[in-house]
Amino acid sequence: MKYEIIFYRSGKTAGLQNDLDSALSPASLELDNACAAISPKELSEELSAALKRTKLVFIIGGFDDSSESTDMILKKILRSRNGSIQTKSFFNGSSNCSAKTIGQQTIILLSDDIVFTEEFRNKLSVFLAEQYDLNIRNESSVSTDDTVKELDREMSSINRVKVASKGSTAEKRNKKKLNALKICIFILLLLAAAQLSAAAYLYFTQM
């Protein structure tokens, strides 16, 4: 399932986008589009367009308690939409986080100082999985000790080839080749000396 993000008067985009993507990946949710709005009109236009394309939209930023805050703009926009609005809060700390659901469409509001703790990630994933009948992948971590033990078991089952100790097989083969080469050189020198002696004998006898 795909979702979209609207950054409203938010100075943090790339980092929050990556954090959100990581938090939603276990529920197989995929980012389809991300944009920015700096005025209530732009936010209204971007949200209207996004809700025509997808069922899930995140609005990040704009919590400043002013008349142009995200909450105030959303109240005006959603007032004209048919159906009852259900609101659910995910985070009770210093950061704002809530979901507004109308039928099958969900708008999740996040402040741009939100911290993606493990607890928050789990709550958000579970809510969306229940809302849209999604399966959450279990990504259990494996300890280092368990990994090392498993590698030891696998390695012990492999037939290892014994490595020859230094100064044995390889060096003996090289020494034999060197001795054979010395013998060949010695024989060639003897033949050359014999040929030289024969040539000298012929030279002196024919004079």
Side-chain angles (χ1 to χ4, degrees):
M1 178 177 169
K2 297 183 181 298
Y3 67 93
E4 295 194 17
I5 300 175
I6 301 174
F7 292 99
Y8 179 55
R9 296 181 174 180
S10 174
K12 304 175 183 178
T13 55
L16 289 173
Q17 181 175 316
N18 291 335
D19 289 342
L20 184 59
D21 180 65
S22 177
L24 299 180
S25 59
S28 299
L29 288 163
E30 180 182 351
L31 177 62
D32 188 46
N33 185 57
C35 63
I38 60 174
S39 68
K41 181 181 179 182
E42 288 181 355
L43 176 59
S44 178
E45 292 174 349
E46 294 292 352
L47 180 59
S48 177
L51 291 174
K52 292 177 182 178
R53 296 187 294 260
T54 185
K55 296 179 180 179
L56 178 60
V57 179
F58 287 84
I59 300 178
I60 301 178
F63 290 90
D64 54 11
D65 297 324
S66 69
S67 59
E68 295 186 347
S69 68
T70 304
D71 282 331
M72 296 301 294
I73 301 303
L74 260 271
K75 286 180 181 179
K76 296 177 182 179
I77 295 174
L78 299 181
R79 189 180 302 162
S80 61
R81 297 181 70 88
N82 297 325
S84 59
I85 302 173
Q86 297 181 351
T87 301
K88 178 178 177 62
S89 177
F90 292 101
F91 195 69
N92 296 322
S94 60
S95 299
N96 291 292
C97 177
S98 62
K100 298 185 181 296
T101 303
I102 306 174
Q104 285 295 308
Q105 291 187 308
T106 303
I107 303 170
I108 296 183
L109 312 179
L110 300 176
S111 60
D112 58 4
D113 63 350
I114 190 73
V115 177
F116 284 82
T117 63
E118 191 67 26
E119 180 183 3
F120 171 68
R121 290 158 62 102
N122 291 337
K123 286 182 178 179
L124 185 59
S125 295
V126 169
F127 168 76
L128 293 174
E130 292 175 350
Q131 183 74 13
Y132 296 108
D133 194 23
L134 304 173
N135 293 321
I136 299 178
R137 297 192 304 270
N138 291 324
E139 299 180 351
S140 57
S141 59
V142 180
S143 68
T144 304
D145 291 340
D146 291 339
T147 302
V148 172
K149 289 178 182 178
E150 182 62 26
L151 287 173
D152 286 340
R153 284 195 295 269
E154 292 180 0
M155 291 298 293
S156 63
S157 64
I158 300 174
N159 293 325
R160 295 183 176 88
V161 178
K162 187 176 181 180
V163 179
S165 60
K166 183 179 179 181
S168 57
T169 308
E171 292 187 4
K172 286 180 180 179
R173 285 199 299 265
N174 291 335
K175 189 174 182 180
K176 289 180 180 179
K177 291 181 179 179
L178 182 59
N179 289 335
L181 183 60
K182 288 180 179 179
I183 293 173
C184 290
I185 294 174
F186 181 70
I187 293 173
L188 290 175
L189 289 174
L190 288 177
L191 292 174
Q195 290 179 352
L196 184 60
S197 298
Y201 174 76
L202 294 173
Y203 175 77
F204 287 112
T205 56
Q206 294 296 326
M207 286 182 64

